[in-house]
Amino acid sequence: MARIIVVTSGKGGVGKTTTSAAISMGLAKKGHKTVVIDFDVGLRNLDLIMGCERRVVYDIINVINGEATLNQALIKDKNCNLLSILPASQTRNKDALTQEGVGKILEELGKEFKYIVCDSPAGIEQGAHLAMYFADDAFIVTNPEVSSVRDSDRILGLLASKSRRAEQNEEPIKEYLLLSRYSPERVKSGEMLSLDDVQEILSLHLLGVIPESKSVLLASNSGIPVILDDKSDAGQAYADIVARYLGENKPHRFIDDKTGFFRKLFGGK
Amino acid sequence: MSLLDYFRSSKTSSASLAKERLQILVAYERSSSSQPSYLPQLQKELLLVIQRYVDVSQDAMTINLEQNDNQETLELNIVLSERRRN
């Protein structure tokens, strides 16, 4: 049975697509056949982050409408042959994404893939709803910032009430926290909500903390998921997250401020 | 962070203010999202009826629907003002 993971947050710009690209690549690199689906109809960007934007021919709406087969629409990743990408449609109206259509696609993908990663759009409209509806696991991407934490809490409410598992009284979706753009230095100086602050409100199972990192922008510039940059802190954070999700025991990193006393004293960066 | 900031930072942290605001807001939103959607309208209409007979202000009334295992309780709390009671 395939495991369906939704990467969601409510708020935009917190790192959903970065995370979807990184964890799907991470799962595939660990030897699991994985597909990542962009649910942001009208504003697709996963293709760009994965570096396959020029190879998009058909998209998810084409498949739902029967204009292309799934195999025609799936793009094989150039870095890892166990990973495929199903792009969102760029031009059509977003009502074309139907629950029945998405259900069929997921069922068919489930026969071939071990993990199905659904990259949710921001907001709580149809695309976001369908990205989470069929999920088994939810990766809640949250920034240590008031509006992001509030929206994450709202999404948790929706996962618990508006999902297939909730509607059919099955075991609830497993919810995991991915705290991204974290800056231990700013937390220490009282400028940023700490991991503990966020957890006091959301109390989720922590999958990992992703530090604020220059490497994320560099990775998106070149269309290579940041997890492949194994020298970068964000890349390592995502690798840890994938390992923890798969049941490996990895101690948490990037939570505490490593800046030394003397650097602080002289205001160095 | 400079030497000066190092001694200054403990006084007021904006992060603790953020946390406090969030806790209040999230608690409120969680309780209101679990209630049925007709509740605000019900409250408004009840208030109008009550106001025909007694002088009560908008915020003098709270309405709450609680669900236990086998029953639902609609709790209505109206605070009447002191001077108008005779």
Side-chain angles (χ1 to χ4, degrees):
Chain A
M1 264 299 267
R3 198 84 190 156
I4 303 174
I5 303 169
V6 59
V7 178
T8 180
S9 70
K11 191 178 180 297
V14 297
K16 281 183 297 298
T17 301
T18 300
T19 300
S20 299
I23 62 153
S24 56
M25 178 62 77
L27 288 167
K29 281 274 175 196
K30 286 268 190 185
H32 303 289
K33 213 167 176 207
T34 303
V35 57
V36 57
I37 309 175
D38 191 348
F39 275 82
D40 206 344
V41 170
L43 290 168
R44 81 161 168 241
N45 274 319
L46 181 69
D47 54 340
L48 211 45
I49 302 301
M50 304 285 303
C52 65
E53 70 277 8
R54 294 174 56 164
R55 292 195 287 144
V56 176
V57 183
Y58 295 111
D59 56 58
I60 187 167
I61 304 290
N62 291 134
V63 179
I64 288 177
N65 291 345
E67 296 151 358
T69 66
L70 247 181
N71 278 329
Q72 285 177 306
L74 286 174
I75 302 167
K76 268 239 184 315
D77 187 84
K78 56 178 188 278
N79 293 300
C80 182
N81 60 4
L82 288 177
L83 179 61
S84 297
I85 300 124
L86 181 58
S89 156
Q90 187 65 306
T91 51
R92 309 187 187 216
N93 84 60
K94 52 185 171 187
D95 295 329
L97 210 57
T98 61
Q99 185 161 310
E100 196 199 348
V102 172
K104 268 189 195 157
I105 288 181
L106 291 176
E107 202 189 319
E108 205 172 319
L109 289 172
K111 293 174 194 157
E112 201 186 330
F113 293 92
K114 179 85 191 293
Y115 291 102
I116 302 172
V117 178
C118 301
D119 181 21
S120 172
I124 50 174
E125 300 293 314
Q126 179 80 341
H129 168 68
L130 288 177
M132 71 166 71
Y133 186 77
F134 297 95
D136 301 307
D137 300 315
F139 286 11
I140 315 288
V141 185
T142 306
N143 289 170
E145 183 268 325
V146 283
S147 53
S148 175
V149 176
R150 178 201 209 171
D151 290 358
S152 294
D153 190 70
R154 186 99 169 76
I155 290 294
L156 291 172
L158 294 176
L159 286 168
S161 61
K162 299 273 160 65
S163 61
R164 186 189 61 86
R165 281 174 175 267
E167 283 178 7
Q168 298 184 0
N169 264 323
E170 286 179 29
E171 197 185 320
I173 296 174
K174 282 209 182 79
E175 300 155 344
Y176 298 94
L177 175 67
L178 283 76
L179 192 58
S180 63
R181 308 197 72 163
Y182 197 70
S183 166
E185 207 182 6
R186 299 192 75 182
V187 169
K188 199 170 183 187
S189 64
E191 294 174 16
M192 182 181 270
L193 288 167
S194 70
L195 169 65
D196 289 344
D197 293 340
V198 175
Q199 280 292 55
E200 228 175 278
I201 292 160
L202 299 179
S203 37
L204 293 169
H205 181 88
L206 178 70
L207 214 45
V209 170
I210 304 114
E212 170 80 65
S213 168
K214 287 181 179 173
S215 55
V216 173
L217 180 63
L218 299 181
S220 76
N221 284 345
S222 46
I224 298 164
V226 70
I227 197 168
L228 293 177
D229 182 0
D230 53 14
K231 290 196 177 54
S232 73
D233 45 3
Q236 290 171 15
Y238 278 117
D240 283 5
I241 283 169
V242 171
R244 285 189 201 106
Y245 175 70
L246 293 173
E248 288 175 44
N249 188 13
K250 292 254 176 196
H252 284 285
R253 295 195 271 171
F254 312 110
I255 296 172
D256 295 318
D257 186 14
K258 294 283 195 301
T259 328
F261 175 73
F262 283 99
R263 268 206 189 170
K264 272 204 187 89
L265 201 61
F266 300 110
K269 271 271 169 191
Chain B
M1 195 155 76
S2 73
L3 184 58
L4 206 58
D5 293 331
Y6 194 70
F7 293 109
R8 213 191 266 150
S9 63
S10 58
K11 274 186 189 163
T12 46
S13 102
S14 69
S16 60
L17 178 63
K19 182 182 162 192
E20 205 182 300
R21 289 174 61 216
L22 260 175
Q23 277 173 325
I24 295 166
L25 183 71
V26 165
Y28 171 76
E29 286 183 339
R30 276 181 195 165
S31 69
S32 56
S33 70
S34 62
Q35 290 182 334
S37 54
Y38 61 76
L39 222 53
Q41 186 64 26
L42 176 67
Q43 174 167 9
K44 215 180 273 173
E45 287 179 29
L46 280 173
L47 194 70
L48 283 177
V49 173
I50 292 163
Q51 276 172 337
R52 266 190 242 153
Y53 303 94
V54 224
D55 181 22
V56 287
S57 67
Q58 195 92 33
D59 52 359
M61 185 164 120
T62 54
I63 191 166
N64 198 19
L65 188 72
E66 276 192 26
Q67 275 171 308
N68 294 327
D69 294 333
N70 48 9
Q71 61 173 11
E72 277 181 284
T73 320
L74 182 70
E75 185 188 294
L76 198 65
N77 246 311
I78 307 152
V79 183
L80 302 173
S81 66
E82 281 291 326
R83 56 203 158 77
R84 280 277 178 174
R85 224 172 4 181
N86 45 345

